[in-house]
Structure formats: structure tokens, C-alpha cells
Amino acid sequence: MALNRGVSITWYGHSTFRIVAEDGYVLFIDPWIETNPVCPGALRKVDRCDAILLTHGHSDHVADAAPLARRTGATVVAIHELSRLIARQGVERCVGMNKGGTVRLGLVQATMVDARHSSSVQDGDALLYAGEAAGYVVTTRDGLRVYHAGDTNVFGDMALIGDLYRPEVALLPIGDHYTMSPREAARAIDLLRPAHVVPMHRGTFPALSGTTADLRKLTTHVEGLTVHDLAPGDTLE
């Protein structure tokens, strides 16, 4: 799918995405790369990363955040409590924020929005509280709006996200068990009203049983919607 804005969005599998903005600025969301079983080998070496957005603290979303930031000098953005935990891992540039706030990253703006999920970081045998889970609306220089829902179920205030930010592209979990199923994701689409949807958090483990085909069957009534069946490594550019 061509975005026609000079922007590319690459799915690394699970919930990991790389967004390259018009000026070449590279943004990763929830980087789980090295041990991600569905991430293609060709993508495991990251040469450039300018910023990282984290939706919550679970290891399948933050495993490579600190190593990647230390190696590239990237700025890590997360909810306040999680940002403090990431900073303890030797990351110098951490921005802690909260829902409703917006940060500017190069020519990109990232607004933190609500999500409904748990969030913790494993520290030996202990689980450390990592603040609330979140999602992001990323807005590029030319106004392309991309919503990454993070791990979440459907909730009624997704209608507010749709009204306030009008995302054109929605990256939505559909795997079931830990997040929305295709049935809930279909209702989220009704609330958000995007033109393009990329299903994520699917197929990584047997428990994540929701499929793009399931979602497509449940959204045939939505006019003007394209549900993209990306494979890990595919790019919308």
C-alpha cells in the first residue's frame, strides 16, 4: 500500500514497527527484535534509530529498547514509571510522559493515548510496576496520522481517539487471549474509523489465534476500509 506521503511503516512481527518519516527520521515502536521468533533475520541488525516509543513494560514489547537506545543514542519515550525503569538500564535520553501529552521527535509528533492492559517489568523473580499501558498517535510533518493501540481490549473511548486525532492508519492487536480478538478489533474499527488497518500481535505464539482473515470477515460492512495482511518484514511505503 502506498501512503504517498514519503513515509514508510515496516512490521517486524508481533507489535514492533519501524516508521521512517519524510526526512528520514527513524522511529521504532515496541522494539522486540533479537529474540522475536517471527522477526526476519534481515531486520535483526538495526543501523539507525532516532526514537523509541514504548506502550508498556512487558518483555515482548521492550526487550530491545534499552540495548537499541544505548547503541544508537535514541530517545526513549514511555509513561513516567516505565521511563524511570528504562533509564536504570543505562539509557541516557528518556522522556517520561503521560496520557494526553504530546512530544516532538524531529518532524514527528507522538501523542500518548489510553490503552487497557497490565504493565510490569521483570526484575529477577520480582515484577516491578511499570505504570499504565498506553497507545500512541504519531503525526508526521505532512499530517499522516498513525495510531498504535499497544496491547489493549476495545474500549468506548476509542471513539474519542477517532474524534480527536482521526487516525488514517490503525495498528491494532487481534491475537486474542492477551489482547483484543478480531471481534473486538472490528468494534474498535467502528469507533476509530481509520482508512487502513494493520493487524498485529498475532501469530507469534499458538495462544494468539486471531487472524487477518477473521477480521476481514467482520469488517465487510465498513466502506473505504483496507485491512492489510502484512507478513513480518513487509512495508507500507
Side-chain angles (χ1 to χ4, degrees), residues 3-221:
L3 298 175
N4 296 322
R5 304 285 187 87
V7 177
S8 69
I9 303 172
T10 301
W11 187 41
Y12 278 51
H14 205 58
S15 296
T16 303
F17 286 86
R18 182 189 68 203
I19 299 176
V20 181
E22 299 94 331
D23 62 341
Y25 193 89
V26 178
L27 175 71
F28 274 84
I29 305 177
D30 285 358
W32 180 35
I33 300 170
E34 289 296 327
T35 60
N36 182 343
V38 297
C39 178
L43 296 183
R44 294 186 188 275
K45 182 182 178 182
V46 177
D47 294 323
R48 177 175 175 179
C49 176
D50 297 303
I52 297 168
L53 303 180
L54 301 179
T55 64
H56 64 291
H58 293 158
S59 61
D60 56 333
H61 295 258
V62 306
D64 289 291
L68 186 57
R70 290 194 301 263
R71 184 165 58 81
T72 63
T75 298
V76 177
V77 178
I79 205 160
H80 176 72
E81 293 85 353
L82 179 56
S83 75
R84 297 292 296 272
L85 293 172
I86 295 295
R88 285 169 49 182
Q89 298 179 40
V91 177
E92 295 183 359
R93 300 172 63 185
C94 284
V95 176
M97 63 181 304
N98 221 305
K99 298 173 186 180
T102 298
V103 294
R104 180 173 288 278
L105 304 163
L107 299 180
V108 170
Q109 290 186 0
T111 301
M112 182 180 284
V113 296
D114 201 11
R116 307 293 173 87
H117 195 64
S118 59
S119 180
S120 59
V121 170
Q122 190 78 39
D123 183 20
D125 294 331
L127 285 176
L128 304 180
Y129 174 64
E132 293 188 3
Y136 292 92
V137 176
V138 175
T139 305
T140 71
R141 178 185 61 187
D142 289 342
L144 178 69
R145 295 171 298 278
V146 181
Y147 168 51
H148 189 296
D151 278 9
T152 191
N153 65 330
V154 65
F155 53 95
D157 283 349
M158 283 182 172
L160 284 176
I161 296 173
D163 290 342
L164 283 169
Y165 307 111
R166 302 187 182 278
E168 298 165 71
V169 181
L171 316 176
L172 300 179
I174 67 164
D176 204 350
H177 195 80
Y178 294 106
T179 68
M180 293 191 289
S181 67
R183 180 176 179 231
E184 288 198 327
R187 184 67 180 116
I189 290 167
D190 289 338
L191 297 170
L192 293 161
R193 305 182 304 279
H196 301 275
V197 169
V198 177
M200 65 174 181
H201 207 280
R202 59 181 171 92
T204 319
F205 316 113
L208 306 184
S209 58
T211 68
T212 300
D214 294 334
L215 182 61
R216 282 177 168 166
K217 291 176 184 177
L218 293 165
T219 55
T220 55
H221 65 287

